[in-house]
Amino acid sequence: MSDVSVIGLGEMGSALAGALIDGGKTVTVWNRSRAKAPPLEGRGALVADTAHEAIQASPIVVICVSDYSATSSILDTAGVKSALENRLVVQLTSGIPRQARELAQRVSAAGALYLDGAIAAWPRQIGTPEAAILFSGPRAVFEEAESTLNLLGTPSYIGPETGSALVLFNAALTYLAGHWIGFSHGAAICEAEGLPVEAFGEMMAGLSGALGQDLRHMGQVIAGGRFGRPESTLRTASNDIARLVDLSDDLAIDPTWPAYVASVFQRGVQAGLGDEEHCAVTKLLRRR
Ligand code: NAP
């Protein structure tokens, strides 16, 4: 027996296994393509020939593969169901809350405990306090695994509902999607006008403190339903963002991103939200 088994040795799974080894755990690993195992074997990992052998090898089984369908296909392989009995499965594969709930049921039916996790970090941060990892599931199960999970980064317990970690993860991902595409569109503006994109990155980094405050403010505004008396109205933002479409035309760059955002803010004004906070657009996004 080893202390922990890690299934999936991609960028993230390899980082997780490495952090567990560095933390003094005995680790068994399994990957579909065996070629990814030797670097970890060189650091002391035991390499299982099959997924079910890896599951049999340790009381805690960490899974980190591309998606939930990859996890399902691993669980479908011969011998896995019986190997799961009395194991604690920690799923660190990204997905959506429904998939976590379905997997929890499947794993529980096989006699194992289940903890769902979502990693909000890069592989290079794993094993350091910078690696934020969200967990949901029974608190007692989290506490049972906590000393092991601490080796991976900074684990946060979100709550007992299985899908909660992925609710927060996906909320953060949708925010980041705007962050990435917004930065990329801004970079296209700078390039088209011959300004260095590095300077744009530096300028935005200088705003990070204020952006952090704005995030906290929006959370409080939306949770409290206090959309009135903003410092800058949704109407002002709508006018400013509409000009980004004209700018895209002037620079002959792709207008898709500003056109989408402008359309949402215009709908907000048309819906009578013009005098409210920018984030009052959430009222339009709550339901289809
Ligand atoms: P990756 O490097 O592409 O590795 C994917 C892993 O999934 C490989 O081990 C691959 O095995 C395995 N896999 C895929 N389909 C499979 C199947 N049908 N059966 C068995 N194994 C299968 O991806 P990654 O970056 O490690 O990401 C893994 C998870 O971590 C994802 O859910 C990702 O969202 C999450 N995550 C990643 C990051 C990051 O920065 N990388 C950050 C946060 C969260 P093979 O080697 O055989 O192909």
Side-chain angles (χ1 to χ4, degrees):
M1 291 289 282
S2 47
D3 297 321
V4 191
S5 291
V6 176
I7 291 187
L9 300 177
E11 296 293 335
M12 188 53 87
S14 292
L16 297 169
L20 292 166
I21 293 168
D22 291 347
K25 297 287 179 190
T26 50
V27 176
T28 299
V29 296
W30 178 81
N31 193 59
R32 180 179 58 178
S33 335
R34 205 185 164 101
K36 291 183 183 159
L40 288 155
E41 196 172 16
R43 293 168 65 184
L46 304 162
V47 182
D49 287 327
T50 61
H52 85 264
E53 281 176 23
I55 293 168
Q56 271 169 343
S58 311
I60 300 180
V61 178
V62 172
I63 303 177
C64 187
V65 288
S66 302
D67 51 31
Y68 273 69
S69 75
T71 304
S72 280
S73 70
I74 293 167
L75 298 191
D76 284 341
T77 55
V80 163
K81 191 172 178 205
S82 58
L84 280 172
E85 195 166 358
N86 295 325
R87 295 291 176 265
L88 162 51
V89 173
V90 181
Q91 162 79 323
L92 289 176
T93 302
S94 306
I96 57 176
R98 169 178 53 76
Q99 293 174 314
R101 292 178 195 121
E102 288 168 0
L103 186 65
Q105 276 186 352
R106 182 174 179 178
V107 165
S108 303
L113 300 171
Y114 182 82
L115 202 57
D116 201 76
I119 302 173
W122 304 113
R124 70 182 126 83
Q125 296 172 310
I126 296 298
T128 77
E130 287 175 0
I133 312 182
L134 315 174
F135 287 98
S136 49
R139 181 180 280 280
V141 176
F142 174 76
E143 286 173 353
E144 187 179 325
E146 198 170 3
S147 62
T148 300
L149 303 178
N150 280 334
L151 300 174
L152 303 177
T154 303
S156 300
Y157 179 69
I158 304 303
E161 208 289 300
T162 307
S164 296
L166 283 176
V167 170
L168 268 189
F169 174 83
N170 283 283
L173 183 61
T174 195
Y175 169 81
L176 288 170
H179 167 90
W180 292 319
I181 200 163
F183 187 88
S184 300
H185 188 84
I189 292 175
C190 293
E191 282 171 352
E193 286 282 10
L195 278 173
V197 177
E198 294 94 325
F200 171 49
E202 283 303 319
M203 188 204 93
M204 292 305 296
L207 295 181
S208 59
L211 288 175
Q213 284 174 19
D214 196 43
L215 288 167
R216 191 167 287 120
H217 173 73
M218 287 191 287
Q220 289 165 355
V221 162
I222 294 174
R226 295 189 298 271
F227 295 98
R229 302 172 57 80
E231 279 191 85
S232 166
T233 64
L234 191 152
R235 181 178 296 99
T236 302
S238 179
N239 290 337
D240 291 344
I241 290 165
R243 281 196 298 276
L244 289 174
V245 180
D246 298 336
L247 179 59
S248 299
D249 290 342
D250 287 356
L251 300 177
I253 63 174
D254 190 295
T256 310
W257 171 244
Y260 165 70
V261 183
S263 75
V264 175
F265 275 83
Q266 279 158 13
R267 274 171 55 207
V269 173
Q270 285 159 8
L273 306 175
D275 293 328
E276 300 192 7
E277 293 265 2
H278 301 172
C279 62
V281 291
T282 197
K283 296 180 192 178
L284 306 173
L285 306 178
R286 280 174 174 150
R287 262 181 243 111
R288 267 189 212 169

